[in-house]
Amino acid sequence: MPTRIRQFEAETSPAGVRAFYQKAVEGKPLTARIDDWEILSWKQGTALRTLRLRPCRAALSPCTEGTLSESDLSLAAAPASPAPGRPADSLLSTDLETNDGGRRARILVWHDESSPSWAAARLVRELSILGLALERRVPVTRPGLEGLGLWFGARGREAVATVTRHGSGTTVTLQMIDHGVQDGR
């Protein structure tokens, strides 16, 4: 689900920040405490707003640090776009998309029962169909790990993958980045 998270510091107490948001956002929030964070959440239609607050750790005067997140729940049930190179019967453990100033990134992690070499070959084939050319292939050389690091590139886009043996199968970590550039890299 699309979520925007903003981090902030305010030169006032958490009670002051809480009071501000309780006036600014309609409805009564659900509240909770997690570790030293105070959490307030409001659901309005398909929007979910969550505020995390705590006193600044090393401030001499009243100070609050926190985050405000806004999630669009209408897209939560929408199917994700396919993951290139991911077999249908694999276990997807991470699918995270970010957009920062026109630079879009997607991080995918999945686990399947193929060998690292087979998973790497499938990934190279699928990404080449998307116009990403394999630029570099490096063996993973750490003790206890067997696999490959793969780097791909195209005009304004790149991808990096790590494909490692995990038990009797393989774990693939793929990061794809679109720089939002049409004329060059």
Side-chain angles (χ1 to χ4, degrees), residues 114-120 138-149 162-172:
S114 66
S115 69
S117 60
W118 184 261
V138 177
V140 174
T141 58
R142 296 193 65 187
L145 286 178
E146 173 193 343
L148 296 166
T162 304
V163 182
T164 56
R165 180 168 305 284
H166 186 253
S168 64
T170 297
T171 296
V172 177

Side-chain angles (χ1 to χ4, degrees), residues 82-136:
R86 178 181 165 242
D89 63 345
S90 66
L91 173 64
L92 181 65
S93 62
T94 302
D95 187 349
L96 175 66
E97 292 187 52
T98 62
N99 188 338
D100 183 18
R103 180 180 174 265
R104 294 187 332 249
R106 186 174 184 195
I107 299 171
L108 297 147
V109 179
W110 68 85
H111 315 276
D112 69 51
E113 295 303 315
S114 66
S115 69
S117 60
W118 184 261
R122 183 177 48 242
L123 192 58
V124 168
R125 183 181 65 247
E126 294 293 322
L127 290 179
S128 71
I129 291 169
L130 297 176
L132 286 155
L134 178 65
E135 295 178 343
R136 190 170 170 206

Side-chain angles (χ1 to χ4, degrees), residues 5 9 15 22 28 31 33 35 41 43 51 74 79 88 90-91 95 114 124 138 146 158 168 170 175 178:
I5 303 171
E9 263 190 27
Q22 286 178 321
K28 183 176 179 174
T31 61
R33 276 216 167 274
D35 297 325
S41 290
K43 184 175 180 294
L51 180 67
S74 67
S90 66
L91 173 64
D95 187 349
S114 66
V124 168
V138 177
E146 173 193 343
E158 63 185 288
S168 64
T170 297
Q175 179 178 24
D178 182 336

